[in-house]
């Protein structure tokens, strides 16, 4: 059976930390579907369409990786794309505690789905989308935290 993993997140924006987790997971799975989770009632910084386009650009030469947006429960998306694995990245003990609760509840409700965690590379530990957004919002240069294949001019704050 094909090993399909999803990598769910907000990716607002997709950072080098996210990129590294996906790249390191490629040898482990037959297919990785990056799931941009959104909530129509919650305002995001970058529109979903831009996030889809950017992530597609990062992995355009990687046939195993695709990206889709989804509103609703992550496990429902797993069913939609036939995934048995949920991939997540761990930076700190705070990440661990947060992820542990979600993964254990998911496991209880959907025993057939396994959550798989990769520890972040040490240099990516402090990188999170909130800080990167703040840098962009205030006109700073966030290029070192964003995938190098992306055109930095696109990363202007959206109105
Ligand atoms: P969420 O809102 O679901 O936490 P994020 O877009 O912030 O979505 O993160 C998606 C996943 O990527 C999470 O598993 C998160 O822990 C992981 N992640 C975020 N930043 C990094 C990073 N710098 N290094 C490794 N993993 C990361």
């Amino acid at each position: 059976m094909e090993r399909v993993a999803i990598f769910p997140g907000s990716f607002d924006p997709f950072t080098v930390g996210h990129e590294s987790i996906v790249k390191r997971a490629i040898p482990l799975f037959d297919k990785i579907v990056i799931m941009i989770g959104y909530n129509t009632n919650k305002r995001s910084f970058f529109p979903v369409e831009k996030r889809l386009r950017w992530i597609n650009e990062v992995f355009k030469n990687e046939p195993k990786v695709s990206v889709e947006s989804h509103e609703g429960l992550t496990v429902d998306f797993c069913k939609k794309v036939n995934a048995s694995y949920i991939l997540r990245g761990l930076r700190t003990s705070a990440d661990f505690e947060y992820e542990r609760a979600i993964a254990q509840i998911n496991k209880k409700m959907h025993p057939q789905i396994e959550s798989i965690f990769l520890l972040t590379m040490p240099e990516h530990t402090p990188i999170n989308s909130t800080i990167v957004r703040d840098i962009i919002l205030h006109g700073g240069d966030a290029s070192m935290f964003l995938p190098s294949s992306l055109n930095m001019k696109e990363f202007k704050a959206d109105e």
Side-chain angles (χ1 to χ4, degrees):
M1 213 174 77
E2 229 191 5
R3 282 164 309 162
V4 182
I6 66 158
F7 182 47
S10 330
F11 309 120
D12 193 18
F14 195 82
T15 67
V16 283
H18 297 129
E19 181 186 24
S20 158
I21 294 289
V22 174
K23 287 195 166 158
R24 288 165 56 208
I26 287 174
L28 306 178
F29 301 103
D30 297 310
K31 218 166 113 181
I32 300 172
V33 186
I34 299 170
M35 183 201 103
I36 304 177
Y38 70 94
N39 180 340
T40 12
N41 296 319
K42 255 169 76 180
R43 218 178 110 77
S44 60
F45 189 65
F46 291 110
V48 173
E49 302 69 44
K50 272 197 176 178
R51 284 179 268 162
L52 276 168
R53 183 153 49 80
W54 288 334
I55 299 172
N56 262 317
E57 176 65 25
V58 174
F59 296 104
K60 66 175 181 219
N61 295 322
E62 185 43 70
K64 279 187 177 183
V65 181
S66 60
V67 53
E68 291 185 36
S69 58
H70 173 74
E71 180 168 27
L73 292 176
T74 302
V75 286
D76 289 336
F77 186 75
C78 284
K79 281 188 207 131
K80 184 182 163 208
V81 299
N82 247 324
S84 307
Y85 303 97
I86 297 177
L87 173 67
R88 299 282 288 177
L90 290 179
R91 288 162 293 187
T92 59
S93 53
D95 270 358
F96 172 75
E97 286 304 332
Y98 174 74
E99 297 292 341
R100 182 171 59 88
I102 299 175
Q104 288 177 335
I105 296 284
N106 277 341
K107 188 69 184 159
K108 189 92 189 147
M109 294 175 71
H110 306 275
Q112 73 285 6
I113 297 175
E114 283 298 349
S115 296
I116 308 281
F117 301 98
L118 291 186
L119 276 183
T120 186
M121 299 300 283
E123 63 272 28
H124 295 148
T125 306
I127 303 173
N128 69 61
S129 296
T130 310
I131 297 178
V132 173
R133 273 201 305 270
D134 263 3
I135 298 172
I136 295 168
L137 181 65
H138 298 291
D141 179 5
S143 55
M144 72 182 89
F145 307 121
L146 296 164
S148 56
S149 51
L150 295 179
N151 179 354
M152 284 309 301
K153 286 196 203 97
E154 292 223 32
F155 283 94
K156 289 185 288 116
D158 278 47
E159 299 307 313

